Amino acid sequence: MADIRNIVILTGAGVSAESGVATFRGPGGLWEGHRVENVCTPQALFRDPELVHRFYDERRAKLASVEPNAAHRALARLDQKWPGELLLVTQNVDDLHERAGSQRLVHMHGELKSALCAACGNRTDWEDALPPETECPDCGTPALRPDIVFFGEMPYHMDVIERALARADLFVSIGTSGAVYPAAGFVQTARHYGAATLELNLDPSEASAWFGESRMGPAGTLVPAWVDSLNRNLG
Ligand code: APR
């Protein structure tokens, strides 16, 4: 433990499950009753923009009724106390990590509370419904879309993430099924560079075999226990 200075933490939908945000691969593989390819691909946005925009409007509106849970709060405590490098990489598009107080955070799959202009590429903070053909406040083109990384699009912040993985002494994955790349491959990258690897998840994931240690259980219990053990070592 004394050798750990730089930490990279990857979170997925499981970290927000106890806040009441649905995971992606729920019953029947549906996400809130939809097949992922009907709401989370560039083709879907082209074919049926009304459906895709409405879907993300509903997810954005839902944020008003959910709160960070014990896992988000524990990760924020760690961020505030940890003297070494720390990067929290979330695949989640909710804002629960930042509402809990995490600052060293990147959203690799985008954010519900942001709109992206398909014409000029600028981003705008967005709280309300976002109908198709909303005008971009920067360039005026009616081309604002949800700022979500769809399947087939390049995740955000990959340069920052890869640099952090190369320097990590510890990589921790929390509440993710390990089904979606490149995030599912971060454990292999971290191992390649010599990091210890720990998984905290409700069930064994598709990536479990890659981790030095896997602990199974709800994030709201496992994450505070892990953070407290690290903080105890800080003295
Ligand atoms: N605590 C810990 N883990 C949990 C909890 C919980 N309370 N509840 C569920 N889990 C675990 C599940 O066992 C599962 O392994 O969280 C994982 C959630 O998996 P997914 O629904 O596949 O979510 P995620 O891994 O974040 O998906 C990755 O896929 O659809 C895309 O872009 C989307 O970012 C998303 C990506």
Side-chain angles (χ1 to χ4, degrees):
M1 196 73 80
D3 296 338
I4 294 173
R5 191 182 145 71
N6 302 335
I7 305 178
V8 177
I9 302 162
L10 172 71
T11 62
V15 83
S16 295
E18 288 156 79
S19 294
V21 180
T23 57
F24 296 95
R25 289 164 188 82
L30 299 184
W31 180 21
E32 299 276 4
H34 292 270
R35 294 172 65 90
V36 165
E37 58 272 30
N38 289 341
V39 289
C40 201
T41 60
Q43 292 85 346
L45 182 64
F46 177 74
R47 229 179 14 241
D48 195 346
E50 290 288 344
L51 171 72
V52 173
H53 279 245
R54 195 169 58 244
F55 180 77
Y56 288 100
D57 284 351
E58 287 167 5
R59 308 279 78 72
R60 194 179 307 108
K62 168 95 180 161
L63 293 183
S65 63
V66 298
E67 296 289 336
N69 65 48
H72 299 105
R73 289 194 297 271
L75 292 173
R77 279 201 305 280
L78 181 64
D79 186 9
Q80 279 141 23
K81 281 196 164 183
W82 190 253
E85 292 178 18
L86 181 145
L87 183 66
L88 175 53
V89 180
T90 188
Q91 298 168 90
N92 299 343
V93 294
D94 65 52
D95 61 349
L96 295 177
H97 282 308
E98 45 271 59
R99 275 160 58 187
S102 281
Q103 295 190 341
R104 292 181 274 180
L105 165 73
V106 291
H107 281 270
M108 65 177 291
H109 289 168
E111 296 176 59
L112 283 167
K113 288 198 173 173
S114 172
L116 172 70
C117 178
C120 74
N122 278 346
R123 295 195 161 79
T124 307
D125 291 345
W126 209 266
E127 295 280 340
D128 303 319
L130 177 69
E133 302 189 7
T134 299
E135 278 185 13
C136 170
D138 291 308
C139 73
T141 311
L144 282 187
R145 56 165 270 189
D147 190 5
I148 301 291
V149 176
F150 292 143
F151 283 96
E153 295 181 328
M154 191 64 83
Y156 299 154
H157 310 294
M158 286 306 294
D159 49 345
V160 174
I161 297 167
E162 273 164 18
R163 269 203 303 278
L165 286 171
R167 295 171 57 82
D169 304 306
L170 175 64
F171 172 76
V172 185
S173 169
I174 304 170
T176 175
S177 59
V180 175
Y181 281 79
F186 291 169
V187 58
Q188 294 169 57
T189 308
R191 281 175 71 117
H192 170 79
Y193 285 108
T197 54
L198 170 66
E199 176 182 53
L200 307 176
N201 205 48
L202 193 59
D203 318 297
S205 74
E206 293 184 30
S208 288
W210 290 103
F211 286 87
E213 185 185 349
S214 291
R215 298 179 196 163
M216 298 295 125
T221 307
L222 290 185
V223 178
W226 169 67
V227 167
D228 288 347
S229 71
L230 273 185
N231 280 338
R232 264 197 302 280
N233 278 280
L234 282 178

